[in-house]
Amino acid sequence: MSRAFIFPGQGAQTIGMGRDLAEAYPAARAVFDEVDEALGQKLSSLIWEGEIETLTLTENAQPALMATSMAAMRALEAEGIAIDAAAFVAGHSLGEYSALTAAGALTLADAARLLRKRGRAMQAAVPVGVGAMAALLGLDLDAVRKVAAEAAQGDVVAAANDNDPGQVVISGHKAGVERAVDLAKAAGAKRAVMLPVSAPFHCALMQPAAEAMAQALADVQIKTPAVPLISNVEAAPVSDPDQIRALLEAQICGAVRWRESVQAMVDAGVEEFWEIGAGKALSGMVRRIHRPATVRNIGAAADITAAVESTKG
């Protein structure tokens, strides 16, 4: 059965994530130690014993989620399941960095430092209160694009995350996004809700962050991944390091084409998706995109045991 490893994005963070992996697997513990050293901060203490409000800050959540995903990946490897057990890797927004690290394209330390910079740059790109995001449920991408265009009225309003057939997230200027929420309800959306986020991610307002990340990425070595990455921006496989670098920059302002990314993997023969790290959000999206898919969550020591058993058969 062809398999893909997929890696979660922001919003999946919880206090305590990855702790039992670190306790059960020395290789997983070493991930948190290396990330702490790379950042010059006991991020592991914040993840396991801190306040959720502090962990949720973009500059903390992004490297923390990557570290948790990589701890799970190292635990799998300790049990004999390596990256070549997957045909593809993919990640939702910051999860793309986790995917690239898992596939050996980025070092763990470089990924941690890049995500700290990315988090800070995205937070600083737009003053608090100027931007917003909203989830529109029950409208497809074309319908959301029409709503966004009508709501803009000179503001930026764009489809930011095309998550699954019934969920598209929009991003942009707060007033424009609020207009879009009202228009979406009038257009037949099942729900249209403002999201509790600190900045309008994945839209043109993030251009200052894209420029900052272009500079940061220029100083980092990117290797050819062991298995192809399904890019957020193109929803297609990529392995060339220079193309990966350009796409990571473009991803800051570009939409996360998750629905199309999952469909591309299904079309390439993937039948089983393992969500590596915190939460289960991507698994739910995969099921809504392709109901016959088999999904598995790998976020705790017990999940590693179950995954190993599933491969024996």
Side-chain angles (χ1 to χ4, degrees), residues 145-264:
R145 284 174 170 161
K146 288 176 185 174
V147 164
E150 186 179 347
Q153 298 179 24
D155 286 338
V156 169
V157 184
N161 303 336
D162 179 16
N163 285 332
D164 63 46
Q167 183 193 112
V168 181
V169 174
I170 58 170
S171 182
H173 286 105
K174 187 170 185 283
V177 171
E178 288 172 342
R179 286 192 294 271
V181 164
D182 292 336
L183 288 168
K185 290 174 182 174
K190 292 177 184 175
R191 289 184 69 205
V193 293
M194 301 294 286
L195 296 177
V197 296
S198 55
F201 303 130
H202 298 291
C203 75
L205 296 178
M206 287 285 112
Q207 186 57 35
E211 292 166 8
M213 285 310 295
Q215 196 168 6
L217 287 160
D219 296 332
V220 169
Q221 182 184 17
I222 299 177
K223 296 179 180 177
T224 302
V227 298
L229 171 79
I230 302 295
S231 156
N232 281 189
V233 172
E234 298 202 336
V238 56
S239 292
D240 177 72
D242 289 336
Q243 189 180 6
I244 289 169
R245 194 187 312 274
L247 289 170
L248 287 175
E249 177 190 346
Q251 184 225 62
I252 300 286
C253 293
V256 176
R257 295 168 62 185
W258 188 252
R259 176 183 56 83
E260 293 173 274
S261 295
V262 171
Q263 191 60 54

Side-chain angles (χ1 to χ4, degrees), residues 98-153:
S98 307
L100 288 166
T101 308
L106 289 170
T107 68
L108 180 62
D110 281 343
R113 287 188 288 261
L114 283 169
L115 286 171
R116 170 56 53 84
K117 291 175 183 175
R118 183 178 182 271
R120 286 176 173 167
M122 292 173 85
Q123 187 61 63
V126 180
V128 173
V130 170
M133 300 180 78
L136 309 185
L137 308 183
L139 297 180
D140 65 17
L141 181 60
D142 287 341
V144 169
R145 284 174 170 161
K146 288 176 185 174
V147 164
E150 186 179 347
Q153 298 179 24

Side-chain angles (χ1 to χ4, degrees), residues 12 42 47 65 87 97 104 117 144 151 157 159 188 243 269 296 301:
K42 287 287 286 183
I47 297 169
L65 284 161
Y97 287 78
K117 291 175 183 175
V144 169
V157 184
Q243 189 180 6
R296 181 173 292 279

